Amino acid sequence: DERDLKLSNILEQTFFEKNQAVHTYFSKYLAQLILILVSWLTCSSISHAQKAEQINSPIAMNDVISNYALVVAYFYQKDGALKANKELYEQHNRMKEIVHREASEAIPEVLFIKINLSDPRLESLKETYHITELPTFLLFRRMIKKNNEVYTELVSQKSGMMSLQELVNFVQSNLGNEIAQVRKAWQE
């Protein structure tokens, strides 16, 4: 009986240790799987080639970057001085069109948002993100830490006018791996 009890305890301990090893193995990859799944779910709820979303409050900005896997924020300002300089005004309108439609079509895995800093409700975002020049682009991605905590990371920032190709290259060079994961999830 004592031998059976010892054998039973050894078997239980071995079973527990194997389950612990399996649990550790799976928990290593669980965070990555959750990130891919969440990215797929949030991005699949975005229609492909969606027009850029206009943000009207700091709370809306926080909600968007917290709830979408990949976000490009375009900060600009409508300024009366722009209309006086026809070339600058045309560049500004072209940049808005690139962000509004063309970039969304070129990289549908990323949600593009527009933030007009002429709106007094949004002025605090200028300080929050240390924006000193307009237009400015901020790239965000949602990440999962090892303890499965979800957070948003500011990946990169770039100021100045860009062509569609320059914008696509900027986004791809900073978010290329994540974009590929979303594309793969969409194809499955």
Side-chain angles (χ1 to χ4, degrees):
D1 277 337
E2 195 174 313
R3 274 181 55 191
D4 289 341
L5 185 58
K6 283 183 181 179
L7 183 57
S8 176
N9 286 342
I10 291 171
L11 288 175
E12 280 181 30
Q13 183 65 29
T14 304
F15 179 76
F16 177 76
E17 287 172 1
K18 284 187 179 181
N19 279 342
Q20 217 38 21
V22 168
H23 175 71
T24 302
Y25 174 78
F26 283 113
S27 64
K28 282 183 179 179
Y29 300 100
L30 184 60
Q32 291 176 349
L33 179 61
I34 289 171
L35 177 63
I36 291 168
L37 179 61
V38 168
S39 296
W40 178 78
L41 288 173
T42 57
C43 290
S44 65
S45 68
I46 302 171
S47 63
H48 294 273
Q50 174 180 339
K51 293 180 184 176
E53 182 178 330
Q54 186 71 46
I55 299 299
N56 359 356
S57 74
I59 293 171
M61 169 80 177
N62 191 49
D63 286 348
V64 168
I65 65 172
S66 297
N67 291 310
Y68 288 92
L70 306 172
V71 177
V72 174
Y74 166 57
F75 290 84
Y76 67 99
Q77 192 164 16
K78 288 184 180 176
D79 188 345
L82 277 177
K83 290 185 179 180
N85 184 333
K86 185 177 179 180
E87 183 181 336
L88 191 58
Y89 183 72
E90 287 174 4
Q91 285 178 350
H92 171 72
N93 284 339
R94 177 68 185 130
M95 191 76 255
K96 279 178 45 184
E97 182 61 28
I98 286 171
V99 172
H100 185 68
R101 184 169 290 110
E102 295 172 28
S104 298
E105 291 172 1
I107 317 169
E109 301 83 2
V110 176
L111 178 65
F112 286 82
I113 59 175
K114 300 181 295 185
I115 300 94
N116 178 3
L117 292 178
S118 299
D119 185 335
R121 298 172 297 174
L122 301 172
E123 286 178 359
S124 64
L125 294 175
K126 198 172 185 176
E127 290 178 28
T128 301
Y129 296 108
H130 310 289
I131 296 171
T132 58
E133 187 180 334
L134 294 173
T136 292
F137 294 86
L138 302 181
L139 307 182
F140 296 93
R141 70 175 162 210
R142 194 174 51 219
M143 301 292 292
I144 299 177
K145 292 182 180 180
K146 290 181 182 179
N147 64 357
N148 294 333
E149 180 184 334
V150 177
Y151 70 100
T152 301
E153 176 184 40
L154 174 58
V155 176
S156 189
Q157 178 173 338
K158 186 171 184 178
S159 297
M161 298 288 186
M162 288 187 256
S163 69
L164 174 61
Q165 192 57 53
E166 290 169 328
L167 178 57
V168 168
N169 290 343
F170 172 61
V171 173
Q172 288 281 1
S173 67
N174 287 283
L175 297 174
N177 292 334
E178 292 83 357
I179 291 169
Q181 288 176 347
V182 172
R183 278 189 188 144
K184 185 177 178 183
W186 279 354
Q187 293 170 354
E188 293 174 352

